[in-house]
């Protein structure tokens, strides 16, 4: 990228800063000393807020990042000789450096294809019934990503169908909620309606992608699975000594309602961008825009020209594929700049 170009970030909602509500609570938590290792009033209050928000007496744990949340939760949901069924594009399969396998002491991930990044009951059953001999890692957990890695969402009906298949084969249900708030906003559904009410046993809920600097929450609706989970967190280096700085910003999201308004804004910006891109000749949508991510096919020369102009976005989804992600602070002005630049580079010939 030329040095004179100012980076313009749409690669991920990880690139955004801390939202004002989270920052306010972080500063408040810094006004006085408090107990260490999660015994502080902020952590207790945040956990209670989650229980109120989900209308369920779940067990709540806070960790630093999503890989730790998914890996530790899955390690508690099965044994080393078990397997976890997930979509072939799932983050636990493609982007967590073997973390789930490491923390579970060897449990294997079994992957299934599925349109629009979604697992299906048929795909799950195909892996469960593929083999039943002692040499095959016994399926024990189904892991869903909500919203998916390609920006789509599972409806309640789809989740209930997957739960029915899980019950048929005695499987537990884990949800990777890296963009769970965006799914709630997209479906106009409550957190309860997309989790324990459809049979989810454990949810890993992301704050980082929703306006926090860091911090994820793990919620166990099946509380038996949370037995000794605090020890797992400690052993994995995820027990913050000053836990209030992880949990207090969560309170900023939960008590103000910013967890939802941030997601609604990000989703609205993604819809705006998606509609604008589809109106341009030479641009085609790869997946439905249902949350805060937009996936489009662009000519290779256009992708390179946009990067040269300072735009950051990912192209890991195949030749010609580009992903743009909107966040709590994405503006219409930024997206209009992108749309203008896309239009400009599309009008240029590849040799230009």
């Amino acid at each position: 990228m030329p040095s004179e170009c100012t980076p313009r970030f749409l690669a991920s909602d990880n690139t955004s800063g801390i939202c004002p509500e989270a920052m306010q609570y972080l500063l408040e938590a810094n006004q006085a000393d408090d107990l260490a290792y999660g015994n502080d009033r902020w952590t207790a209050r945040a956990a209670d807020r989650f229980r109120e928000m989900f209308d369920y007496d779940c067990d709540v744990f806070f960790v630093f990042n999503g890989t730790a949340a998914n890996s530790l939760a899955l390690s508690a949901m099965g044994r080393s000789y078990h397997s976890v069924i997930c979509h072939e594009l799932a983050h636990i399969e493609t982007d967590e450096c073997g973390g789930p396998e490491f923390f579970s002491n060897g449990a294997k991930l079994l992957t299934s294809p599925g349109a629009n990044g979604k697992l299906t009951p048929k795909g799950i059953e195909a892996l469960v019934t593929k083999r039943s001999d002692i040499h095959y890692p016994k399926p024990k957990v189904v892991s869903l990503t909500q919203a998916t890695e390609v920006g789509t969402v599972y409806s309640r009906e789809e989740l209930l169908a997957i739960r029915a298949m899980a019950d048929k084969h005695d499987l537990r249900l884990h949800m990777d909620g890296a963009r769970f708030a965006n799914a709630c906003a997209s479906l106009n559904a409550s957190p309860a309606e997309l989790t324990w009410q459809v049979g989810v046993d454990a949810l890993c809920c992301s704050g980082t992608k929703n306006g926090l600097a860091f911090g994820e929450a793990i919620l166990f609706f099946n509380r038996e699975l949370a037995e000794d989970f605090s020890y797992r967190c400690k052993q994995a280096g995820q027990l913050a000594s000053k836990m209030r700085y992880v949990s207090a910003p969560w309170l900023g999201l939960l008590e103000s309602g910013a967890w939802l308004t941030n997601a609604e804004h990000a989703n609205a910006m993604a819809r705006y961008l998606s509609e604008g891109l589809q109106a341009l000749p030479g641009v085609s949508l790869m997946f439905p825009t249902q949350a805060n991510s937009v996936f489009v096919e662009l000519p290779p020369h256009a992708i390179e020209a946009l990067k040269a102009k300072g735009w950051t976005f990912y192209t890991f989804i195949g030749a010609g594929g580009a992903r743009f992600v909107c966040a709590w602070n994405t503006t219409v002005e930024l997206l209009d700049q992108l749309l203008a630049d896309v239009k400009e580079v599309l009008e240029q010939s590849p040799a230009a």
Side-chain angles (χ1 to χ4, degrees), residues 271 273-281 283-285 289 294 296 339:
R271 289 194 301 272
L273 177 60
S274 180
E275 292 167 3
L277 287 170
Q278 290 180 77
L280 298 176
V283 179
S284 59
L285 199 65
T289 303
V294 181
V296 292
L339 291 169

Side-chain angles (χ1 to χ4, degrees), residues 29-78:
N30 196 47
Q31 293 301 307
D33 292 355
D34 212 322
L35 295 173
Y37 300 111
N39 296 308
D40 59 280
R41 61 190 177 94
W42 297 93
T43 300
R45 190 166 138 198
D48 284 340
R49 283 295 183 181
F50 268 115
R51 296 182 184 107
E52 293 173 11
M53 175 178 165
F54 282 82
D55 192 25
Y56 199 93
D57 187 21
C58 52
D59 282 338
V60 183
F61 301 87
F62 297 97
V63 296
F64 290 110
N65 56 47
T67 294
N70 285 330
S71 300
L72 292 174
L74 289 170
S75 73
M77 299 179 76

Side-chain angles (χ1 to χ4, degrees), residues 56-269:
Y56 199 93
D57 187 21
C58 52
D59 282 338
V60 183
F61 301 87
F62 297 97
V63 296
F64 290 110
N65 56 47
T67 294
N70 285 330
S71 300
L72 292 174
L74 289 170
S75 73
M77 299 179 76
R79 298 185 180 275
S80 60
Y81 50 83
H82 285 148
S83 56
V84 176
I85 295 172
C86 63
H87 193 274
E88 61 185 0
L89 299 178
H91 201 269
I92 60 172
E93 162 67 11
T94 63
D95 289 284
E96 293 187 350
C97 197
E101 296 95 326
F102 177 81
F103 282 102
S104 64
N105 201 28
K108 185 175 178 60
L109 301 184
L110 301 177
T111 65
S112 172
N116 293 325
K118 297 181 187 180
L119 274 178
T120 64
K122 183 178 179 181
I124 292 168
E125 187 161 55
L127 288 172
V128 173
T129 60
K130 182 178 180 180
R131 287 170 57 181
S132 60
D133 59 272
I134 198 69
H135 306 287
Y136 189 66
K138 184 179 181 180
K140 192 62 178 178
V141 183
V142 173
S143 180
L144 305 176
T145 309
Q146 176 79 309
T148 73
E149 294 296 324
V150 296
T152 57
V153 297
Y154 288 94
S155 68
R156 274 178 51 83
E157 292 71 25
E158 288 172 319
L159 294 172
L160 286 167
I162 288 172
R163 179 70 257 183
M165 182 58 68
D167 287 340
K168 180 179 178 180
H169 295 289
D170 190 27
L171 304 173
R172 293 161 177 166
L173 190 55
H174 163 265
M175 181 172 283
D176 175 355
R179 296 182 175 91
F180 179 73
N182 302 93
C184 290
S186 175
L187 294 167
N188 192 27
S190 71
E193 288 175 318
L194 296 184
T195 53
W196 63 268
Q197 290 185 6
V198 291
V200 172
D201 292 301
L203 166 72
C204 296
C205 190
S206 175
T208 307
K209 293 177 170 59
N210 193 223
L212 302 190
F214 53 83
E216 317 292 297
I218 305 169
L219 281 60
F220 285 99
F221 305 104
N222 181 345
R223 298 183 66 180
E224 292 181 0
L225 299 175
E227 182 180 359
D228 292 337
F229 192 75
S230 57
Y231 289 88
R232 291 184 185 272
C233 292
K234 172 62 178 179
Q235 188 180 62
Q238 292 295 316
L239 178 61
S241 57
K242 297 184 179 181
M243 183 67 81
R244 65 188 184 278
Y245 295 117
V246 179
S247 57
W250 265 112
L251 271 176
L253 296 184
L254 303 180
E255 293 193 342
S256 69
W259 73 272
L260 184 57
T261 56
N262 283 351
E264 288 173 338
H265 175 79
N267 288 5
M269 292 296 95

Side-chain angles (χ1 to χ4, degrees), residues 338-352:
L338 173 63
L339 291 169
D341 281 352
V342 173
K343 184 176 184 296
E344 178 186 327
V345 300
L346 287 174
E347 292 172 349
Q348 299 171 353
S349 67

